[in-house]
Every structure is written in structure tokens, then in C-alpha cells.
Amino acid sequence: MVHIWNDPSEVPADFGPTVVTFGNFDGVHRGHQQVLSQLIRTARLNHARAVAITFDPHPAQVHRPESAPELIMGLEDKLVALGELGLDAVLVMKYSLELASLTPEEFVASVLVDSLKVSHVVIGHDARFGRGNSGDLSTMQELGEKFGFTVQVISEFGSEGFPIHDDGGKDRRCSSTWVREALRDGDVSTAAAVLGRSHRMRGQVVHGAARGRALGFPTANLASDASGYIPADGIYAGWLVDQAGTRWPAAISVGSNPTFDGVSRQVEAHVIDRPEEPVENFDLYDQTVVVEFVARLRGMVAYRGPEALVDQMRLDVVQAHDILFRR
């Protein structure tokens, strides 16, 4: 079981020695996974505990909220993804101007050395930390010599042996920016390749306008505060994971229902293939569910009336079924 701490003071005094890395880890993509896998291997070889430090909120939301990136995943899903990798613990540090004011040495001494009893630090070659991002790799190596820990440098997953290319056909390093770009374009397949799993959103199912139910396609509508990056408008094949953990195939709509002159964007999942019970009786209201995006079927279109929309929705369901069950 992975330990989750929300402050360095919660770390047990006898938990160390530890091997530590730190970062935002938004998306916990394959680049992050490579760093964390090396972290875990180093910890096992040195009979130490593997610990990742992450920050909440994202530092950009504190320093430049007007231009902060939309997060790929919420904190809960990030902790789930980190825990699945085999870490011994995750320290979630509340990011604030006070934390940002710590010098590199103050951060390392108080958190890594005093609280975590660090023996090894695993970081990328371009890591920055401390007040004004003044700390870098050479800073960490100097601090390692001073405090008695070693520093292991690792490159993020990308051009070296990773068969994913950008639109120009060139190798590209895995990054949260790449994932956001893909999701903004509705390219959930590329996002999944960079993430190492399907992109997901998490939220409570709320009552909507009930148009889908009236048309014979009832949907689970995610609340407006659902976590996770909302992909481009369109129709997707994917999965809905209910509160009990059951995965249901689904056709997912993202958009504002232009056929009915909708305004606000909504994420709605229509569960398909429930032969044991009419889907109309499938009640998910008030449950917290996860919606996973597997493939984009089409863009959002305004149809000439409900009949044309229903015909298209039937085709969407068939196509979503074919995609999900041929995999």
C-alpha cells in the first residue's frame, strides 16, 4: 500500500532511508513513468523506500493563474496513477508562495534530508527547484555532497526508442504539453500513447436536460467541476467506470448539444450493451464515476432535427461497440 502524506511533518521518523524524486507529474505520462521506474529500481537495490514528491495546486496556478495550463488529471487520479507504479509513498506538498520562497538548500535540507532521510535523488537533467527556480542539476549535486546523498540523472522517455512521432514525423519527448495538445485536438489515441493509458475524467453524475433519455439514449452527465482535461468537442468511444469499479462500454459526447442550441459544454456518457437490464433503468445519479476516452468517432455536428440526430446516434453506438470490442 502506498503511503500518502500531505505535509513533511506526517512522515514517520523511522521511514527512511529513501530514494526521492519530485515534480508536478501532471498526467503521470510515460516520461514520468520512466523516471519513477528508475526511482523504484534504485530504491530496491539500496534497501530504501521509493518516494515521489508532488505539489498541489500546480505552481503555475499560484504564480500565474491567468495563464496556468488546464490540468490533465485531478489530484485523486494522479495519486491513483502514482500508486499503481509501485511507489512506497507520495508526499503531496501544498504549493504556496511561502514554499516557493525556500532556497534550494532550505528545500533540500528541510524536506529531503530532515523529513525523508534521503539517500539518493533521481531527477531529470533539466530539473529546477527552489526560490525562483534557482536550483538545477549542479546545485543538487553540490547539495548531495554536502548532505551525503547521491544524485542520479535520467532522461525522460522520448526519442530514444519511443515509437511515437509528432505531426512532422519526428520523435518527440513525452510531455504534459504534448498530451494537452493532443486532447485539445480530440486526438485521444495519441494522448493515450504518450500517457501509457487512456485519458480519463472523474466526476459526479448529475441531472441534465434529459434530452438523451427522451431520444432513447440516456446519458450519465458529469458535473461541471469534474476533474481532468476536457477533450475537443465530439463523439468518442470509451468506458465508464462506476463507483463499484465496474467498467461499462460507452459512447461519450463532449460539447454543447448544437442540435438543441446548447451553450455550455458537457461530458455525457451513454452506456451500451446492458442486455440484463434496460439501460433506461441504469441509475448512476450522484455516483462518482470515471470516464475513459479510447477513440474519437466524429466531431460535433448540428443536425436538422431529432430524427437525424437519433439516426446518427445509432451509428455512433455501433461504431463505439466495434472499436471497444475489437481491441
Side-chain angles (χ1 to χ4, degrees):
M1 181 185 71
V2 61
H3 298 272
I4 306 295
W5 303 310
N6 295 296
D7 189 86
S9 64
E10 297 177 7
V11 181
D14 60 351
F15 188 79
T18 64
V19 180
V20 178
T21 192
F22 54 88
N24 294 310
F25 303 117
D26 187 25
V28 193
H29 55 64
R30 295 179 72 173
H32 297 140
Q33 292 166 34
Q34 182 176 355
V35 173
L36 294 166
S37 294
Q38 185 59 53
L39 173 87
I40 293 167
R41 285 195 293 270
T42 301
R44 300 297 176 259
L45 288 172
N46 290 276
H47 307 288
R49 307 286 189 96
V51 180
I53 299 174
T54 190
F55 306 96
D56 184 61
H58 191 290
Q61 295 176 327
V62 173
H63 293 293
R64 52 179 196 281
E66 71 288 346
S67 60
E70 184 177 349
L71 297 182
I72 297 167
M73 56 171 42
L75 179 60
E76 182 175 356
D77 281 310
K78 178 162 68 172
L79 292 176
V80 168
L82 290 172
E84 289 173 346
L85 297 176
L87 292 165
D88 294 302
V90 179
L91 170 58
V92 183
M93 296 198 67
K94 179 177 175 56
Y95 194 85
S96 63
L97 293 177
E98 180 181 3
L99 178 62
S101 71
L102 295 179
T103 67
E105 182 167 341
E106 288 171 338
F107 172 75
V108 168
S110 63
V111 181
L112 275 62
V113 177
D114 293 345
S115 295
L116 292 171
K117 310 297 189 295
V118 65
S119 62
H120 297 73
V121 173
V122 177
I123 58 174
H125 64 88
D126 57 353
R128 308 291 300 200
F129 64 100
R131 183 187 302 160
N133 278 336
S134 56
D136 57 12
L137 174 59
S138 63
T139 309
M140 186 64 77
Q141 290 170 330
E142 292 169 3
L143 292 170
E145 292 178 3
K146 178 174 182 176
F147 291 108
F149 60 82
T150 62
V151 179
Q152 184 173 359
V153 185
I154 188 168
S155 297
E156 288 192 347
F157 213 36
S159 58
E160 298 179 2
F162 189 37
I164 293 186
H165 311 284
D166 62 17
D167 291 340
K170 298 179 180 179
D171 291 345
R172 180 175 178 181
R173 189 182 74 166
C174 290
S175 68
S176 301
T177 298
W178 191 2
V179 176
R180 293 188 193 98
E181 289 175 1
L183 294 174
R184 187 179 63 232
D185 294 338
D187 186 359
V188 294
S189 298
T190 292
V194 180
L195 288 168
R197 64 184 176 281
S198 296
H199 173 61
R200 63 189 60 160
M201 294 185 63
R202 180 186 299 268
Q204 187 178 41
V205 177
V206 298
H207 290 273
R211 292 196 184 97
R213 183 173 296 275
L215 296 173
F217 295 88
T219 58
N221 301 272
L222 294 190
S224 59
D225 62 353
S227 64
Y229 194 107
I230 304 176
D233 289 2
I235 306 300
Y236 298 83
W239 300 90
L240 182 147
V241 185
D242 65 22
Q243 203 157 280
T246 305
R247 290 168 58 84
W248 303 100
I252 306 161
S253 169
V254 177
S256 57
N257 294 316
T259 301
F260 298 96
D261 297 321
V263 176
S264 60
R265 297 183 76 211
Q266 295 179 314
V267 178
E268 310 172 52
H270 170 66
V271 171
I272 59 180
D273 284 350
R274 281 183 51 81
E276 73 282 4
E277 178 184 357
V279 72
E280 293 81 3
N281 299 334
F282 190 36
D283 186 2
L284 293 170
Y285 288 123
D286 298 326
Q287 286 195 33
T288 297
V289 302
V290 172
V291 173
E292 299 179 357
F293 298 84
V294 173
R296 191 172 192 237
L297 306 182
R298 61 178 175 86
M300 190 61 70
V301 177
Y303 290 91
R304 295 183 177 179
E307 295 80 8
L309 175 59
V310 167
D311 289 342
Q312 181 61 57
M313 292 168 75
R314 291 195 181 104
L315 295 175
D316 294 337
V317 167
V318 171
Q319 188 177 1
H321 180 277
D322 288 348
I323 288 173
L324 295 172
F325 290 97
R326 74 168 182 233
R327 292 171 181 260

